[in-house]
Amino acid sequence: MKVLVINCGSSSLKYQLIDSETEQVQAKGLCERIGIDGRLVYQPAGGEKETVEAAMPTHTEAIQMVLDILVNEKTGVLKSLDEVDAIGHRVLHGGHKLTKSVKIDDEALQIIDECCDLGPLHNPANLMGIRACMQLMPGKPNVAVFDTAFHQTMPAKAYMYGIPYEYYEKYHIRKYGFHGTSHSFVSKEAIKFLGLDPDNSKVIVAHLGNGSSVSAVQNSKCVDTSMGLTPLEGLIMGTRSGDLDPAVLEYIARKEGKDIFELLTMLNKKSGVYGMTKGLSSDFRDLGEAAANGNELAANAIDAFCYRVAKYIGSYVAAMNGVDAIAFTGGIGENGLEEREKIVSYLGYLGITLDEEANKQRGKNFVISTPDSKVTVAIIPTNEELMIARETVALV
Ligand code: ADP
């Protein structure tokens, strides 16, 4: 089977065409800076990487460009879109109704739609991706794979909030956690790559991208994670605030006459490093450049981001009473040398020393701590697409 995997982020879209028999990628790439300017990267297996600059106001135009390039006469890997057997979609939030992967029908679409308020940055983008595929490839099966699934093993002490129990009973308000497909893949890959025992190991995964989260994985099962009911909780992110005193909302509401919806939009879309730098950028590449050129706000935002990642890592060492390995993944985790260096600089108390030469690596499984470090730190590139393809085949 040929499975087209679509992973729509807030401002990016990753795609892979995977042959499920061989698990080989036939073509892959990404659309970056959707809604900003737009850039498509396309790489057929064994071929040259192509980059096309083109306007991509929404995810629909981005998917149309992906489909066009997959069948283009010169470098396309398909003769026609008929060769695609199924489409697997990463979907952020399935709420309490969709806790496993599902073949998409009207009911599933409606539930994913209902969950947009829980995942306001991603569920709408995921839905756009699903609808665009349904429209552009009618009749093909579409499967949704949820970010929340891997975290279902968390114990109640990790997922319950300190609020009246009636809200859990009435509305299932609890920590769900996100990036589950990535945390699942990366923790398993780290265990394999580092030769750890799947049934007796403690791994912390730091998935750092536009959205960022940390998870604690004990004996291959998630025991805690930084995101919550929605992806807003936890780390400072590209445009999301992460943890803050809830009373901040009431204070700003009173001072500025804002309602709760405006405030949540502010926390999801105008905060994080973007908000902290007065809207300079949510992209760490831009911030790194600005900081290097003396922009103090950018330097402070990067510092605050790294500091919070280090604090979460510390809290998960406590949660598991130890740690064997820390894995960095996601756009920043895999590529952000300076961010990794800053985060690891807080972890000396764990007996970790960064190997500066090794830390120059990007985008491949690589140990970046020195051999005498007591805890191994590694780059483990995520592969959510492969996990999604496997789930899709299982359901179609
Ligand atoms: P998403 O959450 O949208 O899937 P990604 O995991 O693709 O995000 O991460 C995107 C982010 O990765 C970008 O916004 C950028 O901040 C960061 N990034 C990518 N390359 C680099 C780099 N070389 N250095 C620092 N940050 C990087």
Side-chain angles (χ1 to χ4, degrees):
M1 278 179 68
K2 286 186 189 187
V3 181
L4 177 62
V5 176
I6 301 282
N7 178 354
C8 286
S10 44
S11 68
S12 63
L13 176 165
K14 294 176 192 152
Y15 65 92
Q16 289 191 3
L17 184 71
I18 296 176
D19 182 326
S20 68
E21 270 94 62
T22 60
E23 293 204 331
Q24 293 299 307
V25 177
Q26 299 192 297
K28 67 174 182 178
L30 70 153
C31 299
E32 282 186 297
R33 302 173 69 92
I34 299 171
I36 304 172
D37 38 28
R39 182 190 308 134
L40 171 85
V41 179
Y42 172 70
Q43 174 133 44
E48 293 279 307
K49 194 188 264 191
E50 272 179 59
T51 303
V52 185
E53 310 274 343
M56 292 174 194
T58 73
H59 293 72
T60 308
E61 289 82 6
I63 288 177
Q64 181 66 63
M65 283 192 69
V66 172
L67 297 180
D68 288 348
I69 206 153
L70 283 171
V71 296
N72 93 80
E73 281 193 359
K74 258 172 133 185
T75 56
V77 293
L78 298 174
K79 290 207 168 57
S80 102
L81 292 176
D82 291 343
E83 291 174 50
V84 176
D85 295 294
I87 305 114
H89 298 266
R90 173 205 174 199
V91 177
L92 186 82
H93 210 311
H96 68 282
K97 290 184 186 162
L98 295 171
T99 54
K100 279 190 236 150
S101 303
V102 67
K103 204 168 152 186
I104 299 169
D105 54 13
D106 287 346
E107 193 190 347
L109 270 181
Q110 195 189 327
I111 301 172
I112 297 168
D113 198 13
E114 281 168 17
C115 294
C116 280
D117 57 344
L118 294 171
L121 282 186
H122 282 79
N123 264 41
N126 301 151
L127 268 178
M128 278 194 269
I130 294 168
R131 292 205 165 107
C133 288
M134 286 175 145
Q135 184 194 328
L136 300 165
M137 290 181 285
K140 301 275 183 204
N142 286 267
V143 167
V145 179
F146 298 96
D147 263 35
T148 38
F150 179 63
H151 304 300
Q152 289 294 314
T153 50
M154 280 189 288
K157 65 182 176 186
Y159 71 68
M160 289 303 289
Y161 288 124
I163 59 172
Y165 194 71
E166 64 179 285
Y167 298 117
Y168 176 67
E169 287 182 308
K170 278 203 267 189
Y171 309 120
H172 308 274
I173 290 179
R174 48 161 283 181
K175 183 187 273 284
Y176 284 93
F178 299 88
H179 293 139
T181 314
S182 176
H183 286 288
S184 170
F185 181 87
V186 171
S187 55
K188 286 178 181 67
E189 189 70 11
I191 287 168
K192 219 169 20 164
F193 179 62
L194 301 172
L196 300 174
D197 180 352
D199 299 319
N200 186 20
S201 52
K202 295 167 179 174
V203 178
I204 294 174
V205 178
H207 177 114
L208 310 177
N210 261 320
S212 296
S213 65
V214 184
S215 70
V217 182
Q218 190 160 3
N219 308 336
S220 305
K221 293 199 169 74
C222 178
V223 294
D224 209 341
T225 192
S226 60
M227 284 176 166
L229 172 74
T230 77
L232 190 49
E233 189 179 342
L235 303 177
I236 292 173
M237 308 181 209
T239 63
R240 297 190 196 113
S241 63
D243 299 338
L244 85 165
D245 180 350
V248 167
L249 296 180
E250 186 269 343
Y251 193 87
I252 298 176
R254 204 157 29 86
K255 292 280 181 195
E256 305 247 324
K258 290 200 157 94
D259 66 25
I260 192 71
F261 303 106
E262 290 172 289
L263 289 171
L264 261 289
T265 301
M266 180 272 285
L267 292 184
N268 271 304
K269 299 197 169 173
K270 301 255 187 294
S271 298
V273 291
Y274 172 84
M276 294 171 80
T277 56
K278 294 185 169 176
L280 179 65
S281 181
S282 61
D283 191 307
F284 276 73
R285 287 165 289 198
D286 298 340
L287 297 180
E289 205 181 308
N293 290 327
N295 184 314
E296 228 173 277
L297 289 183
N300 289 345
I302 295 170
D303 277 351
F305 169 84
C306 296
Y307 176 67
R308 185 154 318 166
V309 175
K311 286 207 297 183
Y312 261 97
I313 290 173
S315 72
Y316 290 163
V317 175
M320 296 193 287
N321 194 16
V323 62
D324 299 310
I326 298 167
F328 282 105
T329 199
I332 303 162
E334 291 169 32
N335 301 295
L337 320 189
E338 283 167 20
E339 288 78 8
R340 285 198 302 252
E341 188 178 338
K342 274 208 166 85
I343 294 163
V344 173
S345 75
Y346 289 103
L347 306 178
Y349 71 99
L350 291 171
I352 296 172
T353 310
L354 186 75
D355 179 335
E356 283 174 24
E357 206 42 47
N359 190 44
K360 289 181 184 152
Q361 282 294 337
R362 286 197 155 106
K364 66 170 185 173
N365 284 358
F366 213 82
V367 173
I368 59 168
S369 51
T370 56
D372 62 341
S373 289
K374 293 207 174 74
V375 175
T376 309
V377 182
I379 303 166
I380 306 283
T382 192
N383 196 343
E384 290 161 285
E385 288 76 10
L386 181 56
M387 295 276 297
I388 292 169
R390 288 176 184 161
E391 293 278 305
T392 302
V393 171
L395 279 168
V396 168

